[in-house]
């Protein structure tokens, strides 16, 4: 039945693993969603918008002006990037729709799209729907010399051909927690300029950076004009169900993305758009508190997993820890994750599903730490059954 271009996509791992968590009553450290909602004042703003009749009918196609101005204000205040709220900002149904619309708008059938592997699962699906060809640039696991997940930019450079159209970036990176550093970003920017590539950059975890700082690639020389920057309110404000995302880019690129977006959802989330416009005006303390609270939970989960015997790599950003299960005597992350609820009542995500090269991803398993500390502690108690006898 399924059209050939969607072959192999199946059910997303997030749906599969969250259903497994519910069915087995397990603690869900799989799908990345917080177990506490975002600020009450932001929730109240959404409720007020509904009751006052703001956004209950189709909002404007590009998004309500209040939110487009707030997004432009955020990019200017945090990064010094200036975008015209009327022509260079587009509101989308989460980052997911922004990614889909950007790829559908900018990739011709047969064009090659280079993306870091492991890649967030919707990238593969959307490249396929656009008729593009996915070219993975596999991230290297931590080594003693380079104790973080990191890109191999020589290999990435060698994979550029005259059919390469888009460089699809994600930093902070899901699932590895890598944050591209300044030197890596400069090299990527240089490759994009020299090869005349469009860069689509998924920065949904921009405010969840624990080591170093988040540098949008659009701020680098020559990049503003060729970059589609994508972000979303889900992670920053802990309302992942609202699905309010956005694109910032020069007019020509926004207009291309909007052309595709019109026929995906046209518009969405009217009242939530008003609430997110308010949320974007929260003081900087809000962002710092979120980051520090997640940093403490990262440290709790990382130390606990390491004590149990997992190989734990530094999470520089996002709310995920990628672990290596080989020290536990395991090497098949998919089988490990499918058995974990039965073995100890915890759900995690096998990184192999984010790889074309399943072998390369097999020993890695992702846990999220965007849960209450007591939930993480309970999960660690349960996972302790995995400790290998000495
Ligand atoms: N990109 C990445 C890297 C993600 O982890 C997620 C999940 N939040 C998304 C995009 C989707 O974001 P949204 O929920 O705003 O559609
Ligand atoms: N971004 C979330 C994660 O990586 C999941 C979002 C989704 O279920 N599509 O866990």
């Amino acid at each position: 039945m399924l059209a050939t271009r969607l072959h192999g996509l199946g059910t997303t791992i997030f749906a599969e693993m969250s259903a497994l968590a519910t069915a087995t009553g397990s603690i869900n450290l799989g799908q990345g969603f917080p177990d506490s909602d975002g600020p009450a004042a932001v929730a109240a703003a959404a409720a007020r918008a509904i009751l006052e009749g703001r956004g209950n009918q189709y909002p404007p196609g590009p998004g309500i002006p209040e939110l487009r101005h707030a997004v432009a204000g955020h990019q200017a205040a945090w990064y010094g990037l200036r975008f015209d709220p009327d022509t260079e900002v587009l509101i989308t149904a989460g980052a997911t729709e922004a990614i889909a619309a950007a790829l559908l708008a900018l990739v011709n059938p047969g064009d090659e799209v280079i993306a870091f592997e492991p890649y967030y699962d919707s990238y593969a699906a959307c490249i396929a729907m656009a008729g593009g060809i996915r070219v993975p640039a596999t991230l290297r696991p931590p080594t003693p010399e380079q104790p973080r997940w990191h890109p191999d930019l020589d290999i990435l450079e060698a994979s550029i051909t005259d059919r390469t159209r888009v460089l699809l970036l994600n930093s902070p990176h899901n699932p590895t927690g890598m944050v591209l550093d300044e030197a890596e970003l400069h090299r990527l920017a240089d490759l994009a300029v020299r090869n005349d590539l469009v860069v689509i950059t998924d920065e949904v975890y921009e405010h969840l950076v624990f080591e170093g700082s988040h540098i949008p690639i659009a701020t680098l020389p020559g990049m503003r004009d060729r970059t589609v920057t994508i972000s979303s309110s889900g992670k920053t404000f802990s309302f992942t169900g609202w699905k309010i995302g956005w694109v910032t880019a020069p007019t020509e690129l926004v207009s291309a993305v909007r052309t595709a977006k019109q026929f995906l959802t046209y518009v969405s989330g009217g009242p939530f758009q008003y609430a997110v416009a308010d949320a974007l005006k929260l003081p900087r303390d809000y962002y710092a508190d979120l980051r520090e609270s997640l940093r403490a939970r990262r440290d709790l989960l990382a130390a606990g997993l390491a004590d149990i015997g997992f190989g734990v790599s530094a999470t520089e950003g996002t709310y995920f820890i990628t672990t290596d299960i080989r020290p536990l005597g395991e090497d098949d992350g998919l089988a490990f994750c499918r058995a974990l609820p039965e073995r100890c009542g915890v759900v995690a995500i096998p990184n192999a599903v984010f790889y074309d090269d399943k072998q390369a991803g097999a020993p890695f398993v992702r846990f999220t730490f965007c849960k209450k500390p007591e939930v993480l502690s309970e999960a660690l108690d349960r996972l302790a059954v995995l400790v290998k006898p000495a």
Side-chain angles (χ1 to χ4, degrees):
M1 262 312 248
L2 189 67
T4 48
R5 66 183 184 288
L6 297 186
H7 279 184
L9 294 176
T11 304
T12 88
I13 194 68
F14 305 116
E16 179 187 340
M17 288 298 166
S18 285
L20 193 59
T22 308
T24 57
S26 294
I27 297 180
N28 190 355
L29 301 189
Q31 192 176 30
F33 62 91
D35 60 358
S36 311
D37 287 346
V42 176
R48 239 183 1 259
I50 292 176
L51 294 173
E52 291 170 2
R54 286 178 292 128
N56 291 333
Q57 309 304 329
Y58 298 129
I64 62 164
E66 290 86 341
L67 180 53
R68 283 186 279 112
H69 280 264
V71 167
H74 171 276
Q75 296 304 84
W78 285 90
Y79 310 122
L81 282 166
R82 309 260 156 211
F83 289 102
D84 179 339
D86 292 328
T87 60
E88 298 183 315
V89 179
L90 175 67
I91 306 306
T92 55
T96 306
E97 187 194 35
I99 293 158
L103 289 166
L104 289 168
L106 300 170
V107 173
N108 280 305
D111 283 352
E112 292 175 359
V113 178
I114 299 179
F116 292 134
E117 176 187 68
Y119 42 76
Y120 181 58
D121 68 343
S122 85
Y123 301 170
C126 293
I127 294 168
M129 288 193 273
I133 296 165
R134 160 173 98 240
V135 178
T138 308
L139 296 177
R140 301 280 172 235
T143 59
E145 304 74 56
Q146 178 67 288
R148 58 188 274 270
W149 284 83
H150 54 280
D152 184 330
L153 297 180
D154 294 332
I155 291 188
L156 187 149
E157 177 166 9
S159 70
I160 297 174
T161 72
D162 53 9
R163 290 182 307 278
T164 309
R165 167 91 174 124
V166 169
L167 192 52
L168 174 55
L169 300 180
N170 171 218
S171 176
H173 181 260
N174 178 7
T176 64
M178 171 197 75
V179 175
L180 291 171
D181 67 23
E182 204 170 341
E184 290 161 347
L185 286 164
H186 274 280
R187 173 103 186 263
L188 288 162
D190 178 58
L191 290 176
V193 171
R194 277 198 284 122
N195 294 285
D196 196 20
L197 307 180
V198 174
V199 171
I200 300 176
T201 172
D202 175 347
E203 302 184 2
V204 297
Y205 298 100
E206 62 187 310
H207 289 292
L208 304 184
V209 173
F210 313 109
E211 313 298 337
S213 56
H214 174 68
I215 305 172
I217 197 165
T219 60
L220 299 189
M223 293 310 293
R224 188 192 180 283
D225 287 347
R226 60 177 66 252
T227 303
V228 175
T229 303
I230 292 170
S231 194
S232 138
S233 60
K235 314 293 152 150
T236 300
F237 300 115
S238 302
F239 287 113
T240 59
W242 290 8
K243 300 291 288 188
I244 301 296
W246 50 84
V247 168
T248 50
T251 305
E252 196 191 355
L253 287 171
V254 161
S255 154
V257 179
R258 191 174 55 233
T259 304
K261 186 258 183 304
Q262 293 175 107
F263 303 109
L264 294 175
T265 57
Y266 180 47
V267 291
S268 62
F272 297 125
Q273 294 193 25
Y274 286 93
V276 173
D278 281 2
L280 282 165
K281 292 179 200 121
L282 287 168
R284 290 210 178 209
D285 285 357
Y286 165 76
Y287 297 85
D289 290 350
L290 174 73
R291 188 179 62 240
E292 292 316 310
S293 143
L294 279 161
R295 183 198 302 280
R297 289 179 272 163
R298 174 197 68 164
D299 293 347
L300 169 70
L301 186 64
L305 290 171
D307 283 348
I308 290 164
F310 287 89
V312 177
S313 56
T315 287
E316 300 168 302
T318 75
Y319 41 47
F320 305 112
I321 294 176
T322 279
T323 61
D324 186 336
I325 57 173
R326 284 171 296 191
L328 294 169
E330 308 265 355
D331 57 11
D332 179 350
L334 200 53
F336 177 84
C337 289
R338 291 212 165 109
L340 204 55
E342 196 64 19
R343 285 175 79 184
C344 63
V346 175
V347 159
I349 298 286
N351 286 21
V353 300
F354 307 132
Y355 281 79
D356 285 347
D357 179 353
K358 302 291 176 212
Q359 234 10 65
F364 302 111
V365 166
R366 189 194 85 175
F367 293 86
T368 183
F369 52 86
C370 62
K371 308 292 175 182
K372 296 186 182 81
E374 58 272 28
V375 173
L376 298 176
S377 295
E378 169 64 24
L380 287 168
D381 287 347
R382 294 184 184 195
L383 286 163
V385 302
L386 301 174
V387 174
K388 246 175 81 180

